[in-house]
Each structure stands twice: as C-alpha cells, then as structure tokens.
Amino acid sequence: MTEDEIAQRKMQFLYALRSKGVTDKAVLEAMEAIDRGPFIRGLFATRAYEDMPLPIACGQTISQPSVVGLMTQALQISPRDKVLEVGTGSGYQAAILSKLARRVYTVDRHRRLVREARVIFDGLDLTNITAITGDGSFGLPDQAPFDRILVTAAAEDPPGPLLAQLKVGGIMVVPVGQSDAVQSLIRVRKTETGLEYDELRPVRFVPLLEGLGKDT
C-alpha cells in the first residue's frame, strides 16, 4: 500500500469516527496514532479499517472503532489518570487508553488474549499498560482506587466490586442489560454523596462472566 493510500485510509477512518459522534480532539489523535490492523488476525484482517465489530480468538470480539471512540470519550480521561479496563480482548481499547492516561491496567479472563495483547503492546512500545489474566468482575483490589474504569462486557448492573474501586470524582463506563439484544451504555460518576448515572446509547457486548476462561 502506498503512502497516499495509507493517508487516504486514515482520513476515511477518522471521518467515520467523527460522523458517529467522536469529536474529542485527544481521543481522535489517540485513535489516529494506534493502528487497528495489528489487533486483528486471519480472515478479517483486511476489514480492520471498517467501522464494524469483528471476531477475535476465544469467542470474543473487537468492538467497532466508533464505539471504542465513544466509550473512551465518555471517560473524560486526564493525563494523570490511572485507568482500569475490564476485558482486554484484542488489546485495541487498552492501547487507545494508554495514549490518554498515565497508567492502564487491563484484565481478561482468557490467558491467550492477555498473552497476545502483551506481544502487541511490546511491539508498539506501549510501556504504561499492565495486562493481567484474572476475573475482571472483581476488578484489581491491589491496584485500586482508579480514576477511571471501563468495562467492555455487559453486566446486569454496574458491578459493586468495581464501583468500590472507583475514586470519588471518578467515572466508570459500562454496558448494562440482561440480554444480548437490549443493552445500554451507562456512565457512572462517583460523588461525595453517591452515584450519578447517564445513559449514553444502545450497544451490544458479550456478557461479563465470572471465573477464568478454559483456554490456556
């Protein structure tokens, strides 16, 4: 692919993001800096720059870029923030977060996904990401509290253990819903007096499951 073709593809990619409501300058710059290509292997690699979710290993998916952008934008990340991501998946979302935050912790129940994501992070020299195999529904108590928490799997309600690990003044973005068909993306702000909820948009995510995956 020529340099002109690469530039054209990037321009179309960013235009698609803006047209879907991703307008935050820092988020757009982060998504321009992180190529989605390395995070998608096999049959679907040629579709990496389309605004669509794609299957990855372990029965999981990589979210469509516009949803990644909107979720990232909703977090309102500051450069000094420490962020927890629940659901590493391909590693693409964590890589975007790493361009905006001081430190990113990402946890996934599938050892294979964490292992493969680490290889990509090392290749991109993203040194501020710590990827961990574990049950993300319980967060990472040892590293808490977090300024921001992003959950990339759907729960029936915002998980209590994760809310407990969010700083006062912090924000959590999480898909909630009891079925694959009906889910809403929710933003939760933790204040001195309690929790404030905003409903952002309908989404579809894999369910948030307890325990570790069966893969090796």
Side-chain angles (χ1 to χ4, degrees):
M1 188 171 285
T2 67
E3 283 189 18
D4 282 350
E5 286 171 331
I6 291 168
Q8 179 70 17
R9 188 176 65 185
K10 267 195 173 176
M11 209 161 66
Q12 289 172 339
F13 182 74
L14 292 170
Y15 176 77
L17 292 176
R18 287 193 192 95
S19 69
K20 297 286 180 67
V22 183
T23 55
D24 183 279
K25 185 171 180 283
V27 173
L28 288 167
E29 286 175 355
M31 296 189 74
E32 185 176 11
I34 298 295
D35 188 342
R36 194 176 183 232
F39 297 91
I40 301 170
R41 296 182 176 85
L43 291 174
F44 295 96
T46 56
R47 309 190 75 173
Y49 304 99
E50 296 178 30
D51 190 35
M52 62 188 300
L54 294 168
I56 57 171
C58 304
Q60 304 301 296
T61 57
I62 179 172
S63 296
Q64 66 197 82
S66 60
V67 171
V68 170
L70 289 166
M71 291 178 80
T72 306
Q73 185 170 272
L75 283 172
Q76 300 172 358
I77 297 170
S78 299
R80 300 300 303 161
D81 284 347
K82 181 168 73 169
V83 181
L84 170 64
E85 179 196 30
V86 176
T88 308
S90 68
Y92 179 62
Q93 175 75 76
I96 301 291
L97 296 173
S98 77
K99 292 293 184 181
L100 299 163
R102 174 177 58 88
R103 188 88 213 156
V104 177
Y105 290 86
T106 181
V107 58
D108 200 288
R109 61 196 294 272
H110 294 286
R111 196 177 310 279
R112 175 184 170 183
L113 293 180
V114 170
R115 190 169 62 235
E116 291 179 356
R118 282 181 185 147
V119 171
I120 300 175
F121 299 153
D122 288 347
L124 296 175
D125 199 27
L126 301 176
T127 56
N128 63 337
I129 304 176
T130 301
I132 297 164
T133 303
D135 184 344
S137 60
F138 293 103
L140 290 174
D142 292 351
Q143 301 298 336
F146 296 95
D147 301 288
R148 301 289 187 267
I149 298 177
L150 180 63
V151 186
T152 62
E156 287 192 18
D157 297 292
L162 299 183
L163 289 171
Q165 292 171 39
L166 187 63
K167 277 186 185 175
V168 172
I171 294 173
M172 178 163 76
V173 172
V174 54
V176 297
Q178 296 187 343
S179 74
D180 287 348
V182 185
Q183 297 171 4
S184 290
L185 192 62
I186 302 292
R187 176 167 53 203
V188 187
R189 295 177 190 272
K190 192 172 195 177
T191 71
E192 295 281 1
T193 54
L195 301 170
E196 296 175 355
Y197 296 87
D198 293 318
E199 194 169 324
L200 302 178
R201 55 166 286 155
V203 287
R204 283 188 74 175
F205 278 85
V206 296
L208 181 66
L209 301 174
E210 293 189 6
L212 295 182
K214 296 280 193 284
D215 56 305
T216 56

